Amino acid sequence: MIGELKVGGRIEATPISLIVGAIISTYVLFSLSFKNIAKTSSLALKVASFGMVPGMILAMIIGWVVGEYDLPSIEWGITQPDFALMTKYLAFSVGFPSWEIFLTAIPTAIIAYVIAFGDIVIGFTLMDRIDHLREDEKIETNVDRVHLVTAIRNGIHAFLAPWPGLAGPLWTAAHATVAERYAMGRKSMESIYSRGGTFWFAGLFALFMLPLVTLFKPVLSIALSLTLILTAYICIIVGMEQLKNSTERGVAGIVSVTLTMPDPKSTIFAVCIGLALYFLIERPRLLDKHESDEATEQPVSEKGKGKSG
């Protein structure tokens, strides 16, 4: 969110279209009043089923009308990716890095995993939010499977696609869109698994439709900004839900402030500060085993039941 709002960010450059698009997307996806409207209005229910797309389209139209974005030059046909050029940048063409490079990248890899694990937490939380709303299907979540699938996907990227842009486990905004539509019932979405596959297959085919590519090319930054804004909103919601007391909220606030520092090493500082504050402030016993709140607050009478029996 800071990246979008900072001086020189995309919101400062194109405020009207992005602010309107962000408001509409957030309202459609998360507003309690809109959900009540969707219960009685078929039109509102139809709009809600498209998630962040209505806000994105409205932002595009406003951007073109007010002149914040250039009008597209529509071309017809099928896109032809330059696979020959791409192969020149594969590891098999440019060579594999030395072991020194791998060793130097270890700190970055650890930090990247910490951030990526946040994606996993968010994904599981979004699924837990909707799983109880549908009795016709049980959503199975498995953190080991997420790690394996992500590793396989990133391995394929590393060897065959010199582009790490989708290296995270989750596209949060799209995941939230699918989750919200799933919560509307079986008529809106048959299964969470089939709809996830449909979403990505539709995106794959859209990449080869030249009219769509040329239409969205001038306004790609709108999609990126709205994705980041919605991701920030969802991360804030999920992050707050993980905090159980004022001590945890204080540590999380200090870490978040550290993350907003302009220094490129702010992520490293935030992780180090978070670990230090956890051990110094959150743990009731600094060196002993950390018992849960439930265990420490259990009444004496409850603890003694086993002995009396």
Side-chain angles (χ1 to χ4, degrees):
M1 184 66 78
I2 291 292
E4 294 301 302
L5 293 174
K6 68 180 181 181
V7 177
R10 278 183 289 264
I11 289 184
E12 182 187 41
T14 55
I16 301 176
S17 55
L18 288 183
I19 291 176
V20 172
I23 292 174
I24 297 300
S25 297
T26 306
Y27 181 72
V28 170
L29 279 172
F30 306 112
S31 172
L32 298 178
S33 63
F34 187 78
K35 289 181 180 180
N36 288 329
I37 296 174
K39 292 179 181 179
T40 57
S41 172
S42 58
L43 176 60
L45 183 62
K46 194 70 174 178
V47 172
S49 66
F50 288 101
M52 62 182 293
V53 174
M56 188 182 301
I57 293 177
L58 185 60
M60 290 168 49
I61 295 174
I62 292 176
W64 287 329
V65 171
V66 301
E68 290 183 343
Y69 293 92
D70 296 332
L71 292 174
S73 177
I74 305 297
E75 301 178 21
W76 300 94
I78 300 175
T79 57
Q80 299 179 3
D82 195 341
F83 291 108
L85 178 62
M86 185 180 71
T87 56
K88 295 181 180 179
Y89 294 93
L90 297 180
F92 305 103
S93 302
V94 300
F96 288 83
S98 64
W99 283 109
E100 289 77 7
I101 298 297
F102 282 105
L103 293 175
T104 304
I106 288 177
T108 304
I110 294 174
I111 293 172
Y113 176 75
V114 172
I115 298 172
F117 193 78
D119 265 8
I120 299 175
V121 172
I122 291 171
F124 280 22
T125 303
L126 289 175
M127 292 298 98
D128 291 340
R129 281 168 165 265
I130 61 173
D131 191 19
H132 67 282
L133 299 177
R134 295 270 297 266
E135 297 181 356
D136 59 299
E137 181 176 66
K138 176 65 178 176
I139 301 177
E140 180 186 351
T141 55
N142 187 303
V143 69
D144 294 332
R145 184 172 58 202
V146 173
H147 280 87
L148 288 173
V149 171
T150 304
I152 293 171
R153 192 273 311 275
N154 288 356
I156 295 173
H157 274 188
F159 289 107
L160 302 177
W163 170 248
L166 295 176
L170 178 71
W171 180 5
T172 306
H175 196 71
T177 299
V178 173
E180 289 295 324
R181 183 162 182 173
Y182 177 82
M184 295 178 186
R186 192 167 184 176
K187 291 183 178 180
S188 297
M189 185 180 296
E190 179 73 19
S191 168
I192 191 72
Y193 304 104
S194 62
R195 180 59 63 178
T198 302
F199 178 88
W200 288 110
F201 276 116
L204 175 63
F205 287 116
L207 288 176
F208 292 93
M209 300 174 66
L210 190 58
L212 282 180
V213 172
T214 52
L215 173 66
F216 287 103
K217 187 175 181 179
V219 291
L220 281 177
S221 59
I222 290 179
L224 178 58
S225 291
L226 292 183
T227 294
L228 292 175
I229 292 171
L230 292 175
T231 298
Y233 182 84
I234 296 168
C235 287
I236 292 171
I237 293 176
V238 174
M240 291 296 182
E241 289 180 350
Q242 309 304 310
L243 307 175
K244 307 304 180 184
N245 53 57
S246 59
T247 303
E248 293 182 357
R249 286 190 286 272
V251 172
I254 296 298
V255 173
S256 64
V257 170
T258 308
L259 279 172
T260 64
M261 293 169 56
D263 193 303
K265 298 180 180 180
S266 61
T267 303
I268 300 176
F269 295 151
V271 171
C272 294
I273 291 173
L275 289 172
L277 292 179
Y278 166 73
F279 284 102
L280 294 175
I281 298 179
E282 287 192 35
R283 291 177 66 88
R285 296 176 179 85
L286 185 60
L287 299 178
D288 296 340
K289 182 179 179 182
H290 186 170
E291 296 182 356
S292 64
D293 293 341
E294 289 80 2
T296 57
E297 295 177 2
Q298 186 178 10
V300 176
S301 58
E302 294 291 330
K303 291 182 180 179
K305 282 185 177 180
K307 294 182 179 180
S308 61

